[in-house]
Amino acid sequence: MSNLADVFSAPDLRMTSSQSAATASVTVDAPSRLHLGFLDPSGSLGRRFASLGMVIDGFDTRVEMRAADRNTVSVASHLAANVAGPAQERMTRYLAVLQHETGRHAPASLQLQAAPPAHSGFGSGTQLALACGRAFCRFHGLDPSTRELAAMLGRGERSGVGLAGFDQGGLLLDGGPGADGTVAPLISRIAFPEAWRVLLLLDDRIDGLSGQAERVAMERLPPFPRSLAADLCHQVLMRVLPGALEAVFEPFAEGVSALQRLIGDYFAPAQGGSMYTSAAVGRALEWVRAHHQAGIGQSSWGPTGFAIVRSADEAESILGGMRAAGVLDPALRAVVVRGRNRGATLRQS
């Protein structure tokens, strides 16, 4: 990482004593994202993946950094155990990497104050890394790019949506990582229409694939047909993006649902034979598909499913209809959120 070392030793990025004295704490709130699908998992034209995703409100990752007598990493007591343990281990590692790579070894206190459910399709791992990196660097008067932070902390290997979402929010399309492993470039960023809403269904009983299990699952899948990759690109270019740009709901919703069906069928062998990791989420969303016009699918490996709808009133009406029809499993959590057209926020005191 010699190039990053050069970045952090540049004269204009060095911490001054006045910066150090003026900064008591830095808090970063990083938003979650929904991963709506890959366009070409096998790279039929030589470039793999490419991702469509969107940033949402309501499931932030919040990290605070303060000066301390020694390095301490903690997690707020209200966070679930399956979030707290892995997050604390990651944050400890991130702090060590950041101190080593930047040469800023002053002891620090790093605390995770809020986080979405882990392994649920929200991109929480990337947002945790970027929030830690941004808090650390701002505390020390450094200003690397998000891509540089991601490279340092080992994020963004497949999708660039999490990085672009951290920076600016919105509906995002990336071009897949470069052949040399460079982070996927952002091709399109469109503001998500203000009136539209996303009905999320969460199944806290199940974890989506991650880590080594995810890598093994990806390796075992057959090549993705070039004809299907072409169809996915067509759906995104001629339905999803224009629909969002012009706030015309029908083509947007049809395009998202078509993308999800095609990519979901491809990943089904790694998810128990279904496009949904959670059977309960799948039953509820297939009812929505049959009775309403919505962009239906699962974020990443799930288990979180989504229905993108025209308005908050429609989201509440659909939710009531699912309950009346008896298709909403009592174990599921249903949450209505907005799309978010801004990235991470930072507070300094």
Side-chain angles (χ1 to χ4, degrees):
M1 298 184 181
S2 59
N3 58 325
L4 291 173
D6 292 343
V7 167
F8 290 115
S9 63
D12 59 336
L13 294 180
R14 290 175 184 158
M15 180 182 67
T16 67
S17 58
S18 61
Q19 286 172 316
S20 177
T23 304
S25 70
V26 174
T27 302
V28 175
D29 280 276
S32 286
R33 60 93 177 113
L34 301 180
H35 194 273
L36 304 183
F38 290 122
L39 273 63
D40 192 354
S42 298
S44 61
L45 292 176
R47 195 174 188 109
R48 296 185 70 192
F49 302 118
S51 299
L52 179 72
M54 64 171 292
V55 180
I56 59 170
D57 269 331
F59 289 87
D60 282 9
T61 296
R62 180 178 302 126
V63 169
E64 182 191 65
M65 180 170 175
R66 292 179 174 272
D69 295 330
R70 58 185 178 85
N71 281 347
T72 61
V73 175
S74 61
V75 177
S77 59
H78 69 272
L79 294 177
N82 68 333
V83 173
Q88 190 161 18
E89 186 277 330
R90 286 182 177 184
M91 293 168 68
T92 301
R93 185 171 71 252
Y94 294 152
L95 181 57
V97 170
L98 289 160
Q99 290 177 328
H100 174 75
E101 292 297 326
T102 65
R104 272 55 174 188
H105 295 287
S109 167
L110 196 59
Q111 184 183 51
L112 179 63
Q113 299 179 340
H119 310 310
S120 296
F122 291 114
S124 58
T126 293
Q127 298 310 305
L128 177 62
L130 296 178
C132 289
R134 184 59 65 207
F136 179 94
C137 288
R138 178 59 65 91
F139 190 85
H140 289 293
L142 306 173
D143 192 24
S145 70
T146 298
R147 290 169 68 93
E148 288 165 342
L149 285 176
M152 183 191 309
L153 298 174
R155 306 305 302 187
E157 294 178 355
R158 291 194 188 98
S159 171
V161 167
L163 277 62
F166 183 87
D167 280 340
Q168 54 190 311
L171 178 71
L172 305 159
L173 176 66
D174 73 52
D180 60 353
T182 53
V183 172
L186 182 64
I187 294 175
S188 172
R189 187 269 179 190
I190 296 172
F192 191 77
E194 290 291 336
W196 296 359
R197 293 292 185 272
V198 185
L199 171 58
L200 299 175
L201 296 182
L202 291 81
D203 191 337
D204 296 323
R205 302 166 296 183
I206 300 173
D207 285 343
L209 289 177
S210 63
Q212 181 62 21
E214 178 184 10
R215 286 188 285 273
V216 170
M218 293 288 290
E219 291 169 359
R220 290 178 176 172
L221 291 170
F224 192 78
R226 181 172 178 174
S227 60
L228 292 186
D231 191 8
L232 294 180
C233 293
H234 198 190
Q235 297 287 344
V236 170
L237 183 62
M238 301 307 293
R239 276 178 150 179
V240 176
L241 298 184
L245 186 63
E246 298 177 343
V248 179
F249 185 76
E250 183 176 350
F252 172 88
E254 290 178 351
V256 168
S257 293
L259 170 65
Q260 280 283 314
R261 283 196 301 271
L262 289 170
I263 203 70
D265 287 346
Y266 174 69
F267 284 108
Q271 299 180 155
S274 169
M275 68 174 280
Y276 300 102
T277 298
S278 165
V281 168
R283 284 192 298 271
L285 288 181
E286 288 308 304
W287 181 89
V288 176
R289 189 195 303 277
H291 293 85
H292 298 272
Q293 186 172 69
I296 301 289
Q298 172 182 280
S299 179
S300 189
W301 293 103
T304 301
F306 62 82
I308 303 173
V309 299
R310 288 184 174 89
S311 68
D313 287 345
E314 186 167 6
E316 293 299 334
S317 175
I318 290 173
L319 188 53
M322 284 194 292
R323 288 173 174 146
V327 297
L328 186 63
D329 190 314
L332 298 182
R333 281 197 291 147
V335 184
V336 178
V337 299
R338 297 172 179 266
R340 174 165 163 156
N341 291 317
R342 56 192 173 88
T345 59
L346 185 148
R347 301 187 303 277
Q348 186 169 315
S349 61

